[in-house]
Amino acid sequence: MIQYLSTRGSIRPVRFDEAVLSGFAADGGLFVPDKIPHFSLTALATMARQGYTGLAFGVIREFIDPALMPDADLAELIAKSFSGFEAPEVIPTVRLKDNLFVQELFHGPTLSFKDIAMGFLINCMDYFLQRRKERLSLVLATTGDTGPAAAYAAAGKTTLECWPLYPKGMISEEQERQMTTLGAENVHPVGVTGCKNGGDDLDVVVANLFANPEWKRDLKLSSVNSINWCRVLVQTIHYFHSYFQVVDHLGEEVVFSVPAGAFGNLCAGFFARSMGLPVKTFICATNDNATLHRVFAQGVLSQKELKQTVSSAIDIVIPYNFWRFLYFNCDGDAELINRFVSEFEAEGAVQFPEEIWTRYREGFRSTAVSDEETLATMREVFAQHDGYLLDPHGAVALAAVSKCDLGAHPEHKVICLATAHPAKFPAVVRQALDEAGALPEQATHPAIEAAKIQFHHLRTCRYEILETALTAAMRQRLDKTS
Ligand SMILES: *Cc1c(COP(=O)(O)O)cnc(C)c1O
């Protein structure tokens, strides 16, 4: 059975439940499976015939010891996690034209791609915690979509307290309301003012909490951000799923274009390819916060100041899942990873040796899409494809396809990952369509409308006092409910 190691190499192997409940490994690294299973295409095709949840069962089964979770329980957790999706096929893929497709990852309860892995992850945590008779506090920093997905999935779970932290004024009001109007007793959104680097500032506070062993123990800390292995695992499945929806014959190679922030989704794509999916190229599509573009195009991981863009969910300057991907491109050499991490932490930049850069960029292209290009793409697609409305992140993925010269491969099918519903970003839609009055119906959603006429339940604080105020509130809440 697969066990889990750390990218930093100094923990003993742990089981799936341990990896999922702790989030970070005890040595500060990211959990990685000790082997990657390989599926034959015919095996995958058979699983795909049972729909998205059938595929999910087949893939996830390989990563969890049945002694920890028997087949029937796994099937039930998967069914429960995806029952709130509004599309019957869970994740539809639509053809825009010819060989160009859009995979719609936003039909979950909070209308972003974060719902895909979050429901299963939180149901899994609840499952293991119930058996252990334990509780946890989830603390997470959000750039706008992780918070709502986690809040929704955790609402009402007696094993969990959920503390989403967000940079106030830097996410859309619609996203904020998705967290603050839930009214669940165990969900405590905190709007933080004065974050110069947006969500990255909040990540620092979260990392500080985890680095303090007393807090980690007393506050029962855990994390569901995209460093959690379970999220990467579940995100491999949509790559398989859309592959079988678009190809004409098994074995055909396809291209995926992915809007990338913390690199969780693309890292999952890399695992899907490692497990046997025929992918010709992954396009790593960033906005002007182009850390990942520099990683692929220049072989350098370097941190620059955050810029606020119209694709705010990928306004991220440190793509922490990159270490997980790099680990497999260095044959699991944890010592080497430690050297790179130390250099990055000390210097704010690391230039990778030529042979490592050459290896990890194999089958990857990258580009940075400006706000003007994003808005123009939304406008053009809307005009040319019957009012089909992309959200700004899906537009980044689509714009990246024409910016990246795919060379001599026009015959390959290209699948763009649309990661959010446009109704989460009405102000950007207005800007793109140059619309002063009412927005088109495609830019609205009943769940967003419902949240507009409910009370906010939230705490706010200044960035400087966040750590003090948060730890006190968390302790109080645990005392009150234990
Ligand atoms: C989180 C998110 C992304 C980026 O995914 P990563 O796994 O962080 O690279 C892209 N688009 C939207 C809408 C998101 O919420």
Side-chain angles (χ1 to χ4, degrees):
M1 238 310 136
I2 291 176
Q3 291 193 301
Y4 296 87
L5 309 170
S6 163
T7 49
R8 310 195 83 172
S10 37
I11 61 161
R12 57 173 179 78
V14 301
R15 303 182 308 180
F16 181 81
D17 55 341
E18 201 59 44
V20 165
L21 292 175
S22 5
F24 287 97
D27 61 0
L30 282 70
F31 284 110
V32 281
D34 64 357
K35 49 185 166 297
I36 301 179
H38 194 274
F39 295 94
S40 73
L41 268 180
T42 42
L44 286 170
T46 307
M47 297 187 313
R49 275 197 285 280
Q50 294 153 45
Y52 176 83
T53 51
L55 252 174
F57 181 88
V59 174
I60 297 173
R61 180 73 287 173
E62 291 299 311
F63 288 87
I64 311 178
D65 188 341
L68 279 178
M69 188 187 286
D71 280 1
D73 293 359
L74 175 58
E76 195 185 314
L77 276 196
I78 291 174
K80 185 160 97 180
S81 306
F82 295 99
S83 62
F85 280 61
E86 59 189 354
E89 65 272 58
V90 183
I91 303 170
T93 302
V94 300
R95 187 195 289 267
L96 210 53
K97 63 171 184 195
D98 310 326
N99 272 345
L100 187 60
F101 297 83
V102 175
Q103 185 180 31
E104 299 184 342
L105 292 152
F106 51 75
H107 293 287
T110 68
L111 311 178
S112 92
F113 123 91
K114 300 296 194 290
D115 286 324
I116 287 163
M118 198 63 85
F120 182 76
L121 163 58
I122 285 186
N123 283 327
C124 238
M125 286 182 141
D126 183 47
Y127 176 90
F128 292 131
L129 289 170
Q130 281 188 31
R131 271 150 194 81
R132 296 173 170 209
K133 301 198 169 20
E134 287 174 16
R135 299 174 64 204
L136 283 177
S137 309
L138 308 177
V139 189
L140 54 123
T142 179
T143 54
D145 288 328
T146 305
Y152 185 92
K157 298 250 189 294
T158 53
T159 53
L160 296 169
E161 297 295 328
C162 180
W163 299 85
L165 317 176
Y166 62 94
K168 199 150 173 49
M170 292 170 87
I171 67 174
S172 77
E173 193 190 326
E174 287 70 20
Q175 291 171 315
E176 180 175 31
R177 284 192 167 270
Q178 285 184 310
M179 291 182 270
T180 61
T181 62
L182 262 180
E185 275 202 18
N186 65 328
V187 175
H188 321 283
V190 185
V192 185
T193 54
C195 300
K196 276 194 232 55
N197 290 307
D200 284 18
D201 277 348
L202 299 173
D203 277 329
V204 174
V205 174
V206 175
N208 281 347
L209 293 186
F210 276 88
N212 180 323
E214 272 158 43
W215 278 342
K216 182 150 199 295
R217 186 192 61 222
D218 297 348
L219 303 176
K220 302 184 194 307
L221 290 179
S222 185
S223 169
V224 291
N225 70 16
S226 75
I227 55 108
N228 195 301
W229 163 251
C230 185
R231 284 188 50 192
V232 177
L233 170 61
V234 177
Q235 288 168 19
T236 61
I237 297 152
H238 54 258
Y239 290 93
F240 295 115
H241 180 61
S242 68
Y243 178 82
F244 291 105
Q245 288 181 323
V246 307
V247 294
D248 297 317
H249 61 88
L250 284 192
E252 184 181 338
E253 290 191 311
V254 300
V255 175
F256 284 101
S257 183
V258 184
F263 204 62
N265 201 0
L266 262 175
C267 187
F270 166 77
F271 280 113
R273 185 170 68 183
S274 308
M275 287 191 265
L277 193 70
V279 180
K280 175 84 190 158
T281 307
F282 289 107
I283 298 175
C284 174
T286 70
N287 59 26
D288 280 336
N289 296 294
T291 310
L292 284 164
H293 178 39
R294 292 192 296 275
V295 161
F296 286 101
Q298 299 166 20
V300 61
L301 178 69
S302 59
Q303 203 178 330
K304 294 211 174 144
E305 206 161 298
L306 186 93
K307 245 181 93 173
Q308 278 186 266
T309 75
V310 295
S311 46
S312 50
I314 53 172
D315 286 348
I316 287 178
V317 293
I318 305 179
Y320 36 83
N321 262 291
F322 181 72
W323 299 118
R324 191 174 249 143
F325 165 77
L326 194 64
Y327 176 89
F328 286 93
N329 283 289
C330 300
D331 300 313
D333 186 343
E335 218 171 286
L336 193 58
I337 298 291
N338 278 328
R339 277 219 324 264
F340 292 144
V341 172
S342 310
E343 192 179 330
F344 180 67
E345 284 173 355
E347 314 285 334
V350 45
Q351 174 78 52
F352 298 108
E354 184 74 33
E355 67 277 13
I356 289 176
W357 175 29
T358 307
R359 175 150 170 208
Y360 75 65
R361 76 178 162 185
E362 201 185 303
F364 277 84
R365 295 293 180 83
S366 67
T367 188
V369 177
S370 70
D371 277 359
E372 292 68 40
E373 290 165 328
T374 304
L375 296 169
T377 303
M378 291 170 71
R379 184 162 53 242
E380 281 160 25
V381 170
F382 185 78
Q384 291 163 14
H385 299 281
D386 260 350
Y388 187 78
L389 186 60
L390 283 166
D391 94 289
H393 307 83
V396 166
L398 190 69
V401 175
S402 36
K403 288 193 77 170
C404 282
D405 178 16
L406 290 176
H409 308 295
E411 77 280 12
H412 287 113
K413 297 192 170 69
V414 178
I415 303 163
C416 296
L417 272 54
T419 45
H421 193 292
K424 294 188 92 164
F425 305 97
V428 182
V429 173
R430 220 175 269 287
Q431 216 180 328
L433 303 186
D434 202 10
E435 197 67 65
L439 285 171
E441 197 193 337
Q442 300 88 310
T444 64
H445 191 281
I448 299 285
E449 295 307 309
K452 282 184 184 160
I453 48 169
Q454 288 166 25
F455 282 126
H456 276 297
H457 303 268
L458 84 157
R459 293 169 165 82
T460 56
C461 82
R462 278 179 298 114
Y463 182 61
E464 303 86 80
I465 63 143
L466 175 61
E467 191 175 281
T468 315
L470 179 64
T471 49
M474 289 179 74
R475 195 164 282 133
Q476 220 175 38
R477 175 71 193 168
L478 284 173
D479 287 347
K480 204 169 125 192
T481 51
S482 57

